[in-house]
Amino acid sequence: MINSAHDRSGFRVPRRWGDIDESRRGIVLAWVAFTITFGGARLVTWLIQIDPKNVGNVSAGGTHLHHYLWGILLLAGVAIFGMVDRSPRARTWMGLALGIALGLIVDEAALLITLKDVYWQTAGWPSIAIALTLIGLVGSGIALTHRGSATTHDHSESDTADSRS
């Protein structure tokens, strides 16, 4: 009989956070944080755009501060912290911060490529294309690769016992 958490190849599908191997939690959390941050940034920016009072824009000295700036600062913080602490627990939290930072940066990739504020124009589509590609590739990579304490169940013994009864 096959355990519902295993398929025939022995791949264990994690059902809870504790089921994810500690060494992979950072990358899983980075992927989730990237996906949510990218979508959230798009939503917040759209809400700011449709608000006639321009509430929500952040500026300093009359200069608009794009959210990629916060992503770059957060990314620098992750890099510095990564040089200090490399424990599995720290890597998990660094994964969260990394995903948020990259989501903020990639959301404005078209601006960084063209050096023009093209967020809502056709020239802004590369940001969305890059983000969706990353979400798909990294998500697929996480799903298709596994590592850790998942044990394979030897079906030959149980299959033989089942065929005798």
Side-chain angles (χ1 to χ4, degrees), residues 4 8 13 18 24 27 37 41 55 60 75-76 80-81 96 104 148 157 165:
S4 62
R8 289 198 180 272
V13 179
R24 294 179 53 83
I27 191 68
T37 301
V55 175
L75 187 59
I80 291 166
F81 188 73
L96 174 67
L104 293 171
E157 218 175 292
S165 40

Side-chain angles (χ1 to χ4, degrees), residues 25-35 92 94-96 98-100:
R25 289 180 185 168
I27 191 68
V28 170
L29 202 51
W31 176 72
V32 171
F34 176 87
T35 304
T92 298
M94 286 188 297
L96 174 67
L98 176 67
I100 293 169

Side-chain angles (χ1 to χ4, degrees), residues 29-48:
L29 202 51
W31 176 72
V32 171
F34 176 87
T35 304
I36 292 170
T37 301
F38 178 80
R42 284 275 151 178
L43 176 64
V44 168
T45 306
W46 177 72
L47 291 172
I48 290 169

Side-chain angles (χ1 to χ4, degrees), residues 50-81:
I50 65 170
D51 182 17
K53 298 174 197 160
N54 215 13
V55 175
N57 267 330
V58 179
S59 56
T63 301
H64 174 71
L65 300 177
H66 290 271
H67 52 271
Y68 74 81
L69 172 67
W70 310 114
I72 291 170
L73 292 173
L74 185 57
L75 187 59
V78 169
I80 291 166
F81 188 73

